[in-house]
Amino acid sequence: MAIERVERIERNREPFIGRYVFLDTDQIEGDQARADLARRHARDNNFTVIWQQPTHEAFLLRHLPGRHMNQPPDKRTADAALARDWVEYRKPCTPQQLEQRLTLDGAIRVAERLPELAELLRLIGLCEA
């Protein structure tokens, strides 16, 4: 889906300076063929994968103050932890809702443990090299 969307957008404007996609590790656990396919599609289309371990909700949780080291083992645990720490969170979350709760400082803390996210933040000028 990301590949098609980027190709459609780039047909009408300048190419993106970078291509990044966020993928959940719980979607590939126990399915090496699916994991290999995701990596191959990303590589073949010049995307860098930022792996959300295990899910997007766990990734969001790590942005919250004091939670950057949290590593929920599965979706259920991640969902419960996020619900506890961000009571108002509902999926899907709008960009405005994310903006109200997430901060650049939180993203930088998360990026300390995710080199691909750190690379993206540097590329778009949100943190130093």
Side-chain angles (χ1 to χ4, degrees):
M1 184 173 67
I3 294 165
E4 292 172 7
R5 190 171 196 183
V6 165
E7 287 174 352
R8 189 175 39 237
I9 292 169
E10 287 183 340
R11 275 188 224 120
N12 299 314
R13 59 179 242 188
E14 293 292 317
F16 289 103
I17 60 171
R19 292 178 169 190
Y20 291 79
V21 63
F22 290 81
L23 298 176
D24 295 354
T25 61
D26 76 330
Q27 297 296 309
I28 59 166
E29 285 178 4
D31 191 342
Q32 191 60 46
R34 188 173 188 191
D36 292 343
L37 182 63
R39 288 183 184 100
R40 188 170 49 254
H41 279 314
R43 183 188 63 241
D44 292 350
N45 290 278
N46 299 314
F47 276 84
T48 298
V49 177
I50 299 173
W51 291 103
Q52 301 178 119
Q53 195 168 10
T55 63
H56 183 63
E57 285 68 31
F59 179 75
L60 292 176
L61 175 67
R62 287 190 281 279
H63 284 74
L64 301 179
R67 298 290 187 239
H68 65 283
M69 299 296 280
N70 277 32
Q71 291 291 334
D74 54 42
K75 177 179 176 23
R76 186 179 52 79
T77 306
D79 289 352
L82 186 61
R84 212 175 25 253
D85 289 347
W86 187 354
V87 177
E88 305 83 16
Y89 176 78
R90 297 292 178 270
K91 190 174 185 173
C93 202
T94 68
Q96 294 79 14
Q97 291 166 318
L98 292 173
E99 185 179 320
Q100 289 174 355
R101 189 65 197 259
L102 304 183
T103 66
L104 178 56
D105 287 342
I108 291 170
R109 282 192 304 273
V110 172
E112 290 173 0
R113 298 186 56 160
L114 278 175
E116 298 83 4
L117 179 60
E119 178 184 299
L120 172 60
L121 294 179
R122 281 191 298 275
L123 181 68
I124 62 175
L126 291 180
C127 70
E128 297 176 8

